[in-house]
């Protein structure tokens, strides 16, 4: 049930950025896939940060681990999204559903991007300075 809402949100997000990039005449799939993958990677990083600081993992592994983990997460999520949208023809399915994306999606997209970028940084600050 919740998985359907999450999938629909990512499909709407993909369609919004796809239609926006289509105006520029370049390959419109690249930016939505990379942006969604970056946001998903940082969202997973939130979980990783919480586990890192709340367990004894921070004594076993140095703090250099956290910045490098985003690159690995980004590569994993970009491969998954490339498979979903390009290889599995997810782009055609999203475009064929004929759903109009309203202006609320622009706001949702910007808020989602800002939260995805700033919340992991806030958590690192919180666990280093306050916790």
């Amino acid at each position: 049930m919740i998985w359907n809402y999450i999938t629909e949100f990512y499909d709407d997000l993909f369609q919004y950025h796809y239609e926006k990039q289509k105006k520029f005449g370049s390959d419109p799939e690249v930016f939505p896939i990379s942006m969604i993958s970056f946001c998903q990677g940082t969202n997973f990083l939130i979980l990783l940060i919480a586990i890192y600081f709340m367990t004894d993992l921070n004594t076993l592994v140095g703090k250099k681990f956290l910045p490098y983990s985003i690159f690995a997460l980004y590569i994993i999520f970009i491969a998954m999204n490339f498979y979903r949208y390009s290889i599995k023809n997810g782009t055609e399915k999203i475009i064929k559903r004929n759903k109009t994306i309203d202006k609320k999606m622009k706001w949702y997209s910007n808020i989602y991007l800002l939260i995805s970028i700033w919340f992991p940084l806030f958590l690192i600050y919180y666990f280093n300075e306050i916790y």
Side-chain angles (χ1 to χ4, degrees):
M1 173 114 174
I2 190 129
W3 184 255
N4 293 334
Y5 290 122
I6 293 170
T7 305
E8 184 178 347
F9 173 75
Y10 281 119
D11 288 346
D12 291 347
L13 190 65
F14 181 85
Q15 184 178 353
Y16 169 73
H17 287 290
Y18 182 85
E19 290 172 356
K20 198 167 125 180
Q21 291 296 316
K22 203 167 40 168
K23 296 175 186 175
F24 297 120
S26 64
D27 190 15
E29 289 180 340
V30 174
F31 179 74
I33 290 174
S34 61
M35 201 238 7
I36 289 172
S37 299
F38 177 76
C39 290
Q40 287 173 338
T42 55
N43 291 340
F44 198 82
L45 184 65
I46 293 169
L47 178 67
L48 189 64
I49 290 169
I51 291 171
Y52 179 79
F53 282 105
M54 291 182 162
T55 62
D56 289 334
L57 191 61
N58 59 356
T59 58
L60 297 174
V61 180
K63 289 187 180 179
K64 293 179 183 177
F65 166 73
L66 285 176
Y68 296 121
S69 64
I70 188 64
F71 296 119
L73 291 171
Y74 182 66
I75 290 170
I76 290 168
F77 282 109
I78 211 161
M80 288 173 30
N81 287 323
F82 181 76
Y83 172 76
R84 180 171 180 227
Y85 293 114
S86 293
I87 296 174
K88 214 171 138 182
N89 294 329
T91 303
E92 294 173 7
K93 293 176 187 175
I94 292 171
I95 301 303
K96 285 181 183 178
R97 66 185 181 157
N98 292 329
K99 184 175 181 181
T100 57
I101 303 297
D102 53 356
K103 293 191 178 212
K104 287 191 295 185
M105 194 61 203
K106 176 183 177 182
W107 292 106
Y108 293 153
S109 172
N110 292 335
I111 291 170
Y112 177 64
L113 182 63
L114 287 174
I115 289 173
S116 294
I117 291 171
W118 287 106
F119 196 66
L121 298 175
F122 171 75
L123 274 180
I124 291 172
Y125 172 76
Y126 173 76
F127 282 121
N128 280 329
E129 302 295 328
I130 300 170
Y131 187 71

